[in-house]
Each structure stands twice: as C-alpha cells, then as structure tokens.
C-alpha cells in the first residue's frame, strides 16, 4: 500500500476554515464530483495522458457510449478535461486532464487507498449479516 505524502494522518489535521454546508458550498462540489460513479474512473484512466473516447471505453469496460459521452461533457464543463479535435479524415478527438483534473487524482488516489485498507470490511457489512451469527 502506498502512503500518500500529502494526506493528513488524522481528520483533525484538516482545516478548511469556516464552511457552511449549504447548497452552494464548495465542499458539496467535491462530493458531487466524487459521487458521480464514472467521473473518478475516467479521470483515473486519463492519468497517463490523452486518450480517444473509444480507447477510454475499452480501458474502462462496462461503461456505455452514452454514459461515457455524458460524463466527458460534464468533465469538460467542469474544466476537468480538455477536448481536442483534430481536423483529419476521419475526425479524431482526444480528451486530456487539465490541471484541475490532475489535481483531482489526489483525492481519488486517497479514496483508493482507503478502499484498499477498509474495503473488505465495508463490503462485508454491505453483504449483510453472516448467517452463522444469527
């Protein structure tokens, strides 16, 4: 397991200053982004550089063309990816993470580290009670 040098070791070490958890709170933006089931996966897949949508879909697996397109458009709107269109025949499009998108990899990797550490116990709890314990 990789320990991230930028991650705080305890929640008490994090201070965002006064934050009101209201509808337009910046923290809610982060929760919305990480709560989108495909957005973190696409960002993680783009971590090594630009990719064409077809290559992205193959690399990810399980994502429909419609969902991939919708998520890439949303990521472009949020300035997390940059779309590049090349004037070729046939036309070629690539998506690449912006600086904001690359910075988003920090919490994605931290979440991945948490899942590596606690995913088994959380997954077991989601599966329901063990019948042997009843």
């Amino acid at each position: 397991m990789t320990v991230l040098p930028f991650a705080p070791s305890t929640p008490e070490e994090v201070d965002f200053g006064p934050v009101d958890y209201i509808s337009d709170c910046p923290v809610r933006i982060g929760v919305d982004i990480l709560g989108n089931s495909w957005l973190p996966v696409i960002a993680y897949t783009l971590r090594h550089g630009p990719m064409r949508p077809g290559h992205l879909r193959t690399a990810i697996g399980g994502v429909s063309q419609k969902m991939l397109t919708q998520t890439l458009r949303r990521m472009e709107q949020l300035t997390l990816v940059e779309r590049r269109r090349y004037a070729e025949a046939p036309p070629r499009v690539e998506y690449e993470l912006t600086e904001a998108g690359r910075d988003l990899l920090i919490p994605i990797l931290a979440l991945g580290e948490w899942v590596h550490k606690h995913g088994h116990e959380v997954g077991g709890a989601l599966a329901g009670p063990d019948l042997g314990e009843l």
Side-chain angles (χ1 to χ4, degrees):
M1 178 171 74
T2 305
V3 176
L4 302 174
F6 43 77
S9 59
T10 66
E12 292 76 28
E13 292 180 32
V14 178
D15 182 12
F16 295 113
V19 177
D20 293 325
Y21 294 95
I22 55 177
S23 63
D24 60 350
C25 169
V27 173
R28 291 182 62 128
I29 293 169
V31 171
D32 179 51
I33 288 171
L34 290 177
N36 178 304
S37 60
W38 289 110
L39 194 151
V41 174
I42 293 170
Y44 183 78
T45 306
L46 287 171
R47 72 192 180 284
H48 294 302
M51 291 180 80
R52 297 176 73 173
H55 293 143
L56 262 173
R57 188 164 177 228
T58 300
I60 293 169
V63 63
S64 69
Q65 184 63 49
K66 179 182 176 183
M67 187 54 64
L68 178 65
T69 300
Q70 286 177 349
T71 306
L72 286 168
R73 285 182 183 159
R74 177 75 173 142
M75 292 176 76
E76 188 177 13
Q77 179 186 21
L78 295 169
T79 70
L80 299 174
V81 295
E82 182 179 334
R83 179 180 186 267
R84 289 198 183 109
R85 183 183 170 126
Y86 297 91
E88 299 173 351
R92 178 170 56 111
V93 174
E94 289 182 337
Y95 289 89
E96 182 174 19
L97 291 175
T98 61
E99 182 180 355
R102 287 187 301 275
D103 286 347
L104 182 60
L105 291 172
I106 295 169
I108 290 170
L109 292 172
L111 183 59
E113 202 172 297
W114 179 88
V115 169
H116 180 76
K117 184 175 180 182
H118 300 286
H120 182 72
E121 64 192 86
V122 173
L126 287 173
D130 184 351
L131 295 177
E133 294 177 10
L134 293 177

